[in-house]
Amino acid sequence: MEELRRRLVEDLSDTIEGELRVDPAAVAMFSSDASLYEIEPIAVVFPRQARDVEVIAAYSADNNIPLIARGAGSGLAGGAIGRGIVIDFSRHMNRVLWVDGDRVRVQPGVVREQLNRELRKHGRYFAPDPSNSRITTIGGMLGVDAAGSHAVRYGSTRDHVESIECVLSGGQRMELGREPLQLDPSAYPRMVDLEPLGGTTGGGSSVGATVSTAVRSDALKLSALTPATRRADLIQRVGSLLQEFEPVIKQYQPPLLRNCCGYMLRGIRQMQELDLARMLVGSEGTLGLFTEATLYTMPLPSFRAAACLMFKTLEQAVLAMQLLLPLEPSACDLLDRRVLSLGRGSDLRFRDMILPEAEAGLIIEFPGGSEREIRERLSDAQTLLKDREIDFQITREATTLEDVELLWALPSQVVSLLASLKGSSRPLPFVEDVAVPPEKLAEFLVSAQRIFQKHEVTATLYSHAASGQLHFRPILPVPDNGEETKIEAIARDLYRQVVQVGGSISGEHGDGLSRTAFIRTQYGPLYRAFQQLKEIFDPLKL
Ligand SMILES: Cc1cc2nc3c(=O)[nH]c(=O)nc-3n(C[C@H](O)[C@H](O)[C@H](O)COP(=O)(O)OP(=O)(O)OC[C@H]3O[C@@H](n4cnc5c(N)ncnc54)[C@H](O)[C@@H]3O)c2cc1C
C-alpha cells in the first residue's frame, strides 16, 4: 500500500490543480461516512476543476485503481467509502455557476441549503428535500436520488435534473441528458477493440497491481478513446440494452413512488430518445463522476399550512395518513413513540407539541394559493378524521412559513440525533431505507414488527408515510468485524417481505455497501441488465 501511495504522489501531484493526500490523517478522515462501515482509502483527491477529474479517471483506468466519489459523506449505506481513490467534490467544486429562469447550473459540491439560499433571491428553490439539507451536497443527492418529506408531491432528485456532465472511467468528459436515438446503429463509431474484455479487473486484492497484458491494453485503449467516440458508443449500446430488456424492466422494476435500488431503467428509453440524466441519477458514482449538472428549479410556494397530530396507537396514525392522502397533502410524515420522545427531550420548542402518552404522530402539510385556502384544507383534514372517528389530537397548527419550518425541524433534528447517539446499543442504519406502496403500509408494518420480534429487537421508526418510505433503525450493539450475522438475518427477512408487497429495499439512501448484495433479491433477472449497463460505462469494472 505504501509503495502504491508513493507512486500516486509521484505520478499525480504535479498533474492536477487540486490536492492529493495520502497521509494518515487524511485517509483516516475519509475511511467512514454515516454508515456502519469503515474502509481506509488509498488516497484522497480534492479536485479544483473537471480536468483534474479527467486526469484521475484516466490514470485509474490505466492502473486499475477504483475511484469513489464523495460529497458530504452523510450517506447511510457506505457509498462514499472504499479501497481506492476517494474524490471529494465538496472542498473546491462547490459553486453555483448560473441561474436562468427555471434552471440552475451547479458544481457537485454545492450544499443544498446553499443552493436554495441563492435561488431564494430569484423566488425559486430546488425541491427535493432530504432532512439533512444543511450538509448534503447536490453531487450526493444525484448520487443516491435523494428525496424527503415532500417527495409525494414534488418527487425525488431524479425528477428535477435536465443534464449531467460526467467523467467516465478512462477520463472522457461529456454532458448527458435527453439524447436522440440514432435508429441506424451503423451510424455510430464502435469501440470494437474493447469487446470482448479479457481477464478480471477491479477492486479487491488486485487494486493497483500490475494487471494482465490483455486487460492493461484494454485500459490503455479506454483512456485513449475520444469523448465523442465513447458518447456515441454508449448511447447506442444503452439504447439496445433497454430495448432488449424492456419486458423484464416492466415486470421487475414497477413504478413506485420511492425506489433507488439498482439502476433506474424504467422510462429511460422513449420513442426517439434516451433520458440518460434520469438514468445516471441514483448510480452512486458507479457509472461516472458528476462534475456539473443543470437542475430544474420551482417557484417558492406562496402559502403553506402544516399541523402536528398525536395518536394513541400507531395503527390509528397509519389509518389517518391513508384517509388524508386523497386530500393531496404535499407531505405526511409518521413518527413513532421512540422518535417522539427523543424529540420531546431534545428541544423545549417541541415539548408542548409532543404528548408524553402519544404512541405515534403525523406531521402533515398542504400547499395553497391563499391563506384562506390553506386554512380550509387544514380544517377539511380535521373534519375528515373526525367523521371517520379517528382518535387524534392536534397539538400545533402552522400557517406562516416560520412556523411550518419549525414543525419540520422536529423530524430533521431527531433524525440527526438518531444518527449521533452513542452507547453500546443504539439505533443502527442497515434496514433504514425500505419503501412500500403507501396502500400496503399498514399490512407491511405488522409483518415488520413480527420480524423484529422474531429477532428480539426493537426498532425506531420515522417514515415519509405518504410516499411509503420507512426509516427503521433496530436498536443493537454495533457489530465488530465478522459479527454481522444478526443484522444480515434481520435484513434478509425484512427485505423478503418488502419484495413480497411490491416495495423496494432502498427508497432514497442508495444501495452502497449495505444493500448491493441484496439487489439480486430485489430484481431477479433484471440484475443481468444492471451488469451489462455497468460494463458499457465502465468496462474495467472499477
Ligand atoms: C442525519 C441524516 C439524515 C438524512 N436524511 C435523508 C433524507 O431525508 N433523505 C435522503 O434521501 N437521504 C437522507 N440521508 C442520507 C444522505 O445524507 C443523503 O442521501 C445525501 O443526499 C447524501 O449526500 P452527501 O453529499 O453526503 O453524499 P455522500 O454520502 O458523500 O455520497 C452519497 C453517494 O453519492 C455518490 N456521489 C457523491 N458525489 C458524487 C459525484 N460528484 N458524482 C457521482 N456520484 C457522487 C457517492 O459515491 C455515494 O455513492 C440522511 C443522512 C443523515 C446522516
Side-chain angles (χ1 to χ4, degrees), residues 46-287:
F46 304 96
R48 281 191 184 270
Q49 44 161 313
R51 207 195 136 270
D52 287 352
V53 184
E54 290 175 31
V55 170
I56 302 287
Y59 184 89
S60 100
D62 290 349
N63 292 278
N64 197 38
I65 302 175
L67 297 180
I68 302 106
R70 182 167 173 122
S74 73
L76 290 155
I81 54 175
R83 184 64 56 120
I85 303 177
V86 167
I87 305 197
D88 176 4
F89 287 95
S90 68
R91 183 169 292 185
H92 303 303
M93 294 184 65
N94 53 17
R95 281 179 303 130
V96 176
L97 299 172
W98 50 254
V99 181
D100 182 15
D102 66 350
R103 294 173 317 140
V104 61
R105 182 79 171 173
V106 294
Q107 290 185 318
V110 170
V111 169
R112 185 205 181 238
E113 195 166 283
Q114 168 202 352
L115 171 61
N116 277 345
R117 258 200 313 274
E118 183 63 34
L119 290 172
R120 203 168 298 134
K121 297 177 199 158
H122 304 263
R124 305 190 70 85
Y125 78 120
F126 182 57
D129 60 337
S131 64
N132 60 343
S133 287
R134 269 183 292 165
I135 56 167
T136 183
T137 65
I138 298 299
M141 288 182 68
L142 292 166
V144 299
D145 187 28
S149 303
H150 295 78
V152 64
R153 188 175 182 96
Y154 303 115
S156 62
T157 305
R158 173 173 290 127
D159 301 310
H160 301 266
V161 176
E162 182 181 69
S163 65
I164 298 177
E165 180 189 82
C166 63
V167 174
L168 302 190
S169 171
Q172 297 83 3
R173 175 158 48 117
M174 62 196 68
E175 185 83 14
L176 293 170
R178 286 179 173 272
E179 305 299 334
L181 261 177
Q182 271 274 20
L183 296 176
D184 171 14
S186 64
Y188 290 102
R190 298 279 298 162
M191 302 196 322
V192 281
D193 293 347
L194 282 168
E195 298 170 323
L197 283 174
T200 311
T201 62
S205 56
S206 66
V207 171
T210 310
V211 287
S212 76
T213 321
V215 176
R216 188 157 182 94
S217 65
D218 282 339
L220 290 173
K221 280 179 200 148
L222 190 64
S223 59
L225 290 166
T226 66
T229 307
R230 285 212 67 192
R231 188 173 201 286
D233 174 82
L234 77 82
I235 292 171
Q236 195 268 322
R237 287 166 70 196
V238 172
S240 306
L241 179 75
L242 295 180
Q243 190 169 30
E244 181 192 335
F245 279 90
E246 196 184 339
V248 188
I249 295 169
K250 270 208 178 111
Q251 185 177 347
Y252 289 91
Q253 198 167 48
L256 264 176
L257 278 170
R258 293 302 316 122
N259 182 14
C260 65
C261 180
Y263 298 124
M264 179 48 68
L265 302 185
R266 191 183 178 88
I268 301 302
R269 188 187 162 115
Q270 287 141 25
M271 291 295 280
Q272 302 291 336
E273 63 180 22
L274 295 179
D275 193 343
L276 290 186
R278 205 173 160 74
M279 189 188 76
L280 285 171
V281 176
S283 60
E284 300 182 47
T286 63
L287 298 181

